[in-house]
Structures are given as C-alpha cells and as structure tokens.
Amino acid sequence: MVVKRRLNCGFDFSGVPKAPRSTRRKVSSERDDVDSQLTAFDLLASLAGKLLEESESSSTSTYGDSQEDHLVVKIKQEHELVYNDKPCKSELSHQGNLSSKSPSDNTSETCLQVSSVENDCVLEQTPVSDCKIALGLKQPLVGCGNKKEDCAVHVEQGEATNGLMIPDTISLKDSSHESVHMPPGKDGGVLNGSLGGYMNHSKLVCSDDDDENYCKFYKFSDKCNKSYRPMTRVGHRRIKKSKYGRAFPRSKCFEDTRTDGCIKALYRKRKLCYGYNYNPWKHETVHRKRRLSDKGLVVTSDGGLSSESVTNSPQKGESVKLSIKSFRIPELFIEVPETATVGSLKRTVMEAVTALLGDGIRIGVLVQGKKVRDDTNTLSQTGLSCRENLDNLGFTLEPGSSENPVLSLPTDSTNLSERSSASPELNSRIPLSLLHADHMINSGTCVESKQELVPYQSDITADEQQQPSPDSRAIVPVPPLEPDALAVVPLNEKPKRTELSQRRTRRPFSVSEVEALVHAVEELGTGRWRDVKLRSFDDASHRTYVDLKDKWKTLVHTASISPQQRRGQPVPQELLDRVLAAHRYWSQHQVKQNGKHQAAAMMVVESGAFM
DNA sequence: TTTAGGG
DNA sequence: CCCTAAA
C-alpha cells in the first residue's frame, strides 16, 4: 500500500524560482499524515473487498466505551447508502423505537444516533456553487427526555436536493442477514429501528462503471491533503488543489472533487443504478466488483456477492470481509440551550455534520475499540483476518483538523439575553456560548446540570495529549493544544452557502494556541511560519502558516496598544509581553537568519525576556 | 509553496 | 481572513 507522495500537488512549480530554504530542515514533525491517510483509505477500500455476513461490529459497543466520562451530544452517524426504490424517509419515519434502544451501549454518554439513508444522488449536474452538503433532518427527535441517553436523532439526507452527502457509512455489503449491526444485547435498537427496514435491501456504493473511478474514491491525494480532504485523480489528470494549507475545503474543493469523479464515482444517480442493476422486485442488488488498482483486491458492494468475486480475491493471503455499517464521528458536539427547539437542534446537528464534512475527514480504524495508529501493519498483523472476529473492527470519521468542532446554538432571543448581553450582531452569527467556552469546558457541573452541554474530549485529543511534542524545547512548558474550545462553527439561521467563495469560518485563537504560537516564534523567529506551523500547529489543519503569521501580526499589534483598546478574548499580558520581546528580538536579528535555535538560545540570554 | 504585506 | 507579488 505504498502510495507515492506528490509534493507539488499538481501545481507546477518548475518555472517558479525557489527561494533559498537553506534554513529549512525537514522537520520530523512532518509526519506521514499523507501516507497514513492514504493507507487508511486503502485499508478501508481493501477491507471492503468482500462481503461479510456477520461483521456486525456494533459501532456503539465498539466505540462507546472509552469516552464515557465525556459529554455532550455525540453524534453517531449511520448513513447507509441505499439504493432503494422505496421512499426512505417514510420508512424511517416509522421507526419509532429509536430512543429506547440506542442507549444500550452508550449508557453513559449522550448519543445522538444519526442515521441517514441515501437514496438518491444527483451530483453530476449540480452546479458547484450549489453543491451543498445537505443533510436534512427529517426525523423527529425521539425520546429526548431528561436522560440524555435517550436522545436519538435521525439524520437523513435531504431529499433529492443536490445534496452532496459524504457517507459516513459505506455499507459495502448486503445486509440481508439480520445479524447485521445490532447493538449487542438488543433485539433492535437504533440500528434495527433505523435500518431494519432496509435489511433486506442491498446497500451499496454504487460505483462508477469505470473501475478506476471507483477505487479512486478511496484514495486521498497526498500532501495537499493535510486536511485530509478526499481527493482523487482521474486518469492522469491531477486535481487542482486548493490553497495549500487551507483547512476548509471550499466550494472550490468540492468542485475539484466532484468534477474529477471522486464523489461522482460514489454517488450515482439511482436511475443509472436501477437501470442496469437494480431489481426492486427481487431485491436484487447491484453487483460491483472493483479492482483496487494493482492491488488485486476486490471491492464488492453488496450482498449479491458472487463466488466470482471471492475467487478474484488476492492471490496471497485471505481477504477480509467486512461491512462498514457506520462510521462514528466522535468529534461532533452539540450544545443547545434547554429552550432550544427541536427544529433548531436539527439545524445545529446539520451544521455540525456539515462542518465536519466540510473540514475534510479522515478515517480512523479501531480494533477492539482501540484506535489503530500504525498504518503500516497489515491487517493480519493487526489481528484482522477473515477468520478473526471482525466484530471488533470499527471505523471512525475524524475531522481533518485536530480540533473538536463545537456547535452552539443560539435559539431564541430569550435564551440569548439570558446568557449574555452580546451584541445583536454577535448573536446572529456567533453562538453565545462561544464567549463562555472556557467556562463551560471547565465547569462540568455547571453544564451538567443543564443536561445538554457536557464537555467532551475525544479519544483523539486524549491521544494527542499523551504525545507531547518530543522536540519541544519549551522554556516554558507549552501545554498541548487543547481542543480548541473556541472553535465554533457559527450557525447561521440562514446559511449563505450559495456563494461560490465562502469566507473561512473564523476561528479565534485560543489562549493555548497563542501560547504555542508565541513559544514557537520565540524559538524560530518571525520569518519561518512554515516551521512554526509544522512545529506547533501541525495537527491543526485549520491553521495555516499564513494564519499563524497573521495572528502574530495581530498579536504584535495587540501588545502594542493599550489594554483598553484591545478586544476579543483577552490574551494574558504575560504572553503579550513575550510577543513584544520576541518581536523586538527577531526584528533585530533578521539578518542572521541562520542562527536558528542558537539565536533563540542567545536571545534568551541576551534579553532575558523570554523567561 | 512559502514569505511578506497590504486589504 | 483574504489576496498577491515575489522569491
């Protein structure tokens, strides 16, 4: 599964003179994200090679254990790609027992079970600008009583809209076997309830007729994919990459994706599928076998697995059959005031999902509930084989960035005024809670009592915190970037998504980020933003080096003005002092750029300002 | 792509 | 944050 890395992302810089980068070293922190992601997807694709009849690794049980102490509304999405001739929505709407079952495996965490059924996709003709990620919430909130455990929400794809829905669940198997994905110990539960009606339907990824395209869907492009945006290459054409480092795939990105067949390969018009493969009467399913390039792996998309498919499996070793019932999205957190309406909650959920998808996603693999980080191991080494119990296998959708999107929902004026006296403008754009993000995070009780908002720390974050930067030479310990509590995706009552070029969501730097930035600049200077990025913000895909540079600029400015003139979340004076000191220092030492760390060290000695 | 600055 | 010239 070696994937070539392409560093220029298709952009030809051959004619562009390279600026001397003598001082730039290949920082070890330039992790193998790319390969990791690639292999992750390759893995996914590979695993999907065949159908597994009993891989009902209940995602809930698989993942629901490690995060019990945490909070909020976790959204678990279970999108099933179903090519069904029945109106999915109506069926879903009859699933009334969601709430009673869903908590079975998540007794200690709030879980919004989100299921969606994709039954139609018309992407090819969708104007880029309208290529929205539309996840329409059609399902009523069920059983959301005092117990948050009883919260269940259904998310379906909006009807025939141009909804570009990235499936967090790619069911590649035929689910004709009822054993599929039932929460353990339950005879139905959410899964049953929400999907049971489809059990007899084949769920598949309707692939493009072109084998190439199909496979490509599973590939991430390389370096330009710091944000883990799934991109593909079609033929020999390379996708034009969006601005490097830009965390948010913008419409542009979708355009790229779309036009290059990435999504298109996955979402086909139902008509097309039906026309050639689907037999509603027999409930037959489309059989699609796809070779994974030269891997020889076969991806079969449904239960109509033919023996042929099996025999086409790789020469050496056994193939692994599995179905991916659902992807778990552990990073979505919803905060809504008690007075929020169900409708607003739905919108919030939609925003959260949209934000996640828009931020680029990557796949996480869980075995035994534990995240598998080593992408180089083979499946068998990881303990996955056709003979092994794949119940332990799970997948997660992770945001491209390391942050945890937190959604707050300003619902009505009453509630707003009750929580803050923020300006109307702010209210209309930025969730109020943003102003109290720190507070809420730190005061679980306060939140807890309110039942909705419970700080959540994903396992991802936990992992990261366990791995402090080894090369950190912080004079002052730099705390690992905490989940950006302030990163809130504004919820607009009327999302203006129609604009071709949407401005990136504003993400105020948290104090910890500022701290990290300051520290990095103290050591690296003000002219090496790329290194700063790599060093301290490599995991924050939404922070580009330009962002860091800009932030530094504003920091310097902020530090230069009187405290009274400052606005926004206050930055500790101590940090501002360091900003000024570092700025002063590096302004004088621009010349000897090569000083690198030496300079930093000297700087401390000379000025004594950075202690 | 990265840096540097203006908008 | 965006946009761009220049490197």
Side-chain angles (χ1 to χ4, degrees):
Chain A
M1 290 190 183
V2 177
V3 181
K4 296 174 188 172
R5 299 181 65 161
R6 190 183 307 284
L7 296 180
N8 61 5
C9 296
F11 187 93
D12 184 10
F13 286 91
S14 58
V16 181
K18 306 271 186 183
R21 299 271 190 263
S22 56
T23 61
R24 181 168 307 139
R25 70 192 189 292
K26 280 292 179 183
V27 184
S28 60
S29 61
E30 192 167 345
R31 310 167 310 170
D32 279 352
D33 282 344
V34 178
D35 289 340
S36 295
Q37 298 315 310
L38 286 167
T39 53
F41 246 54
D42 280 348
L43 172 63
L44 177 58
S46 300
L47 292 181
K50 298 174 191 171
L51 310 178
L52 172 64
E53 297 180 334
E54 299 164 353
S55 82
E56 85 259 336
S57 57
S58 161
S59 64
T60 44
S61 62
T62 302
Y63 320 114
D65 38 32
S66 61
Q67 304 160 349
E68 304 184 349
D69 298 331
H70 311 298
L71 35 127
V72 206
V73 190
K74 176 162 61 189
I75 296 183
K76 184 166 50 175
Q77 290 180 274
E78 310 225 24
H79 292 181
E80 291 276 1
L81 290 180
V82 177
Y83 286 85
N84 189 339
D85 56 341
K86 295 182 181 178
C88 301
K89 271 165 292 191
S90 63
E91 283 205 19
L92 283 174
S93 64
H94 292 310
Q95 315 298 334
N97 58 342
L98 298 176
S99 60
S100 60
K101 308 298 180 57
S102 63
S104 60
D105 338 74
N106 294 285
T107 53
S108 59
E109 60 185 1
T110 299
C111 174
L112 284 187
Q113 182 82 30
V114 180
S115 299
S116 73
V117 174
E118 207 244 17
N119 65 342
D120 196 359
C121 265
V122 185
L123 266 184
E124 293 140 292
Q125 300 161 347
T126 301
V128 176
S129 58
D130 293 333
C131 197
K132 310 169 185 174
I133 295 175
L135 293 178
L137 287 165
K138 309 288 187 195
Q139 202 68 10
L141 183 62
V142 180
C144 191
N146 291 330
K147 290 186 176 182
K148 56 189 178 184
E149 296 91 274
D150 286 337
C151 277
V153 168
H154 248 69
V155 172
E156 299 175 22
Q157 181 186 13
E159 59 263 298
T161 65
N162 302 326
L164 179 165
M165 187 185 79
I166 295 178
D168 50 16
T169 290
I170 302 175
S171 183
L172 295 169
K173 77 180 278 283
D174 176 87
S175 301
S176 57
H177 298 274
E178 57 180 327
S179 62
V180 181
H181 320 315
M182 294 293 174
K186 294 293 180 180
D187 58 351
V190 172
L191 297 173
N192 193 29
S194 60
L195 303 175
Y198 297 91
M199 287 307 177
N200 292 326
H201 294 287
S202 299
K203 302 170 177 64
L204 63 119
V205 174
C206 196
S207 67
D208 196 285
D209 286 334
D210 174 11
D211 290 2
E212 291 278 297
N213 282 347
Y214 183 95
C215 300
K216 278 165 183 167
F217 171 79
Y218 296 99
K219 293 187 178 182
F220 276 115
S221 66
D222 46 62
K223 180 166 183 181
C224 55
N225 227 347
K226 281 277 183 177
S227 58
Y228 311 120
R229 177 171 56 255
M231 294 217 263
T232 64
R233 301 185 193 109
V234 169
H236 299 297
R237 202 152 41 107
R238 263 168 232 147
I239 293 178
K240 181 178 124 195
K241 153 191 173 342
S242 65
K243 193 169 183 176
Y244 176 78
R246 175 153 285 172
F248 260 32
R250 314 286 271 295
S251 51
K252 233 182 241 171
C253 303
F254 282 118
E255 172 182 39
D256 295 339
T257 301
R258 182 182 64 88
T259 55
D260 282 50
C262 173
I263 300 299
K264 183 164 63 179
L266 183 64
Y267 304 99
R268 302 281 297 178
K269 292 182 185 178
R270 180 175 16 170
K271 179 175 66 178
L272 203 166
C273 298
Y274 285 173
Y276 296 104
N277 303 286
Y278 188 73
N279 183 330
W281 179 251
K282 290 185 177 182
H283 283 203
E284 285 181 3
T285 57
V286 182
H287 296 186
R288 289 298 167 104
K289 293 175 297 180
R290 291 300 180 242
R291 276 180 195 287
L292 274 181
S293 57
D294 49 355
K295 308 286 190 310
L297 297 181
V298 175
V299 175
T300 305
S301 55
D302 67 15
L305 175 63
S306 63
S307 59
E308 175 183 297
S309 299
V310 178
T311 54
N312 280 342
S313 56
Q315 324 70 13
K316 53 184 178 182
E318 298 278 358
S319 293
V320 173
K321 306 174 187 176
L322 80 161
S323 71
I324 299 171
K325 176 202 65 185
S326 67
F327 280 104
R328 182 182 193 217
I329 301 179
E331 298 81 7
L332 286 184
F333 309 106
I334 309 293
E335 176 206 349
V336 293
E338 294 178 4
T339 54
T341 64
V342 173
S344 61
L345 171 60
K346 290 178 179 179
R347 285 193 295 276
T348 305
V349 172
M350 187 177 83
E351 285 293 320
V353 173
T354 301
L356 171 71
L357 299 182
D359 204 13
I361 56 175
R362 56 180 175 178
I363 301 298
V365 175
L366 300 131
V367 175
Q368 308 271 30
K370 295 174 66 178
K371 179 170 292 183
V372 177
R373 290 184 166 281
D374 190 342
D375 290 333
T376 61
N377 284 340
T378 65
L379 296 185
S380 56
Q381 289 175 327
T382 310
L384 298 174
S385 75
C386 60
R387 296 185 200 73
E388 299 294 329
N389 192 343
L390 291 177
D391 291 0
N392 301 319
L393 176 61
F395 295 92
T396 62
L397 280 189
E398 302 166 2
S401 65
S402 61
E403 68 170 336
N404 296 320
V406 174
L407 266 189
S408 298
L409 176 66
T411 48
D412 53 37
S413 56
T414 300
N415 191 58
L416 289 175
S417 59
E418 151 187 324
R419 302 185 57 169
S420 164
S421 58
S423 67
E425 177 195 338
L426 186 58
N427 287 345
S428 66
R429 298 213 42 165
I430 302 177
L432 222 12
S433 57
L434 167 62
L435 303 176
H436 308 299
D438 284 327
H439 172 61
M440 294 193 294
I441 291 297
N442 294 327
S443 56
T445 51
C446 154
V447 172
E448 198 108 24
S449 63
K450 289 220 164 194
Q451 146 187 346
E452 292 98 359
L453 203 248
V454 188
Y456 176 97
Q457 207 166 27
S458 71
D459 51 349
I460 295 175
T461 300
D463 288 341
E464 287 175 350
Q465 293 184 334
Q466 291 167 13
Q467 305 172 2
S469 176
D471 65 342
S472 173
R473 300 186 186 181
I475 297 173
V476 176
V478 178
L481 290 185
E482 60 192 21
D484 192 352
L486 296 181
V488 176
V489 180
L491 172 63
N492 300 314
E493 284 300 317
K494 300 174 182 177
K496 302 171 183 177
R497 301 288 187 195
T498 47
E499 295 145 47
L500 273 173
S501 181
Q502 185 196 339
R503 196 183 185 85
R504 268 198 303 166
T505 305
R506 187 164 177 276
R507 267 116 159 219
F509 276 67
S510 65
V511 173
S512 62
E513 283 183 300
V514 171
E515 156 72 38
L517 174 59
V518 171
H519 179 258
V521 174
E522 284 176 348
E523 291 195 344
L524 302 174
T526 55
R528 302 167 61 196
W529 302 110
R530 176 178 172 277
D531 289 333
V532 169
K533 157 74 177 172
L534 258 31
R535 183 190 189 81
S536 303
F537 293 82
D538 203 22
D539 292 327
S541 64
H542 60 295
R543 302 295 190 199
T544 69
Y545 46 70
V546 174
D547 292 331
L548 301 179
K549 182 217 63 178
D550 286 343
K551 180 56 183 176
W552 181 260
K553 182 171 62 178
T554 61
L555 278 175
V556 170
H557 177 260
T558 299
S560 304
I561 61 179
S562 67
Q564 293 73 38
Q565 304 177 64
R566 297 168 191 164
R567 294 189 297 177
Q569 344 93 283
V571 177
Q573 186 58 44
E574 175 262 338
L575 282 178
L576 293 177
D577 292 339
R578 289 168 63 188
V579 168
L580 278 186
H583 178 259
R584 207 175 304 136
Y585 176 87
W586 288 108
S587 293
Q588 298 180 205
H589 295 71
Q590 283 182 316
V591 188
K592 54 176 187 178
Q593 283 284 336
N594 297 325
K596 287 191 214 173
H597 299 312
Q598 306 291 0
M602 288 178 61
M603 166 177 67
V604 175
V605 175
E606 292 174 5
S607 64
F610 300 123
M611 292 300 286

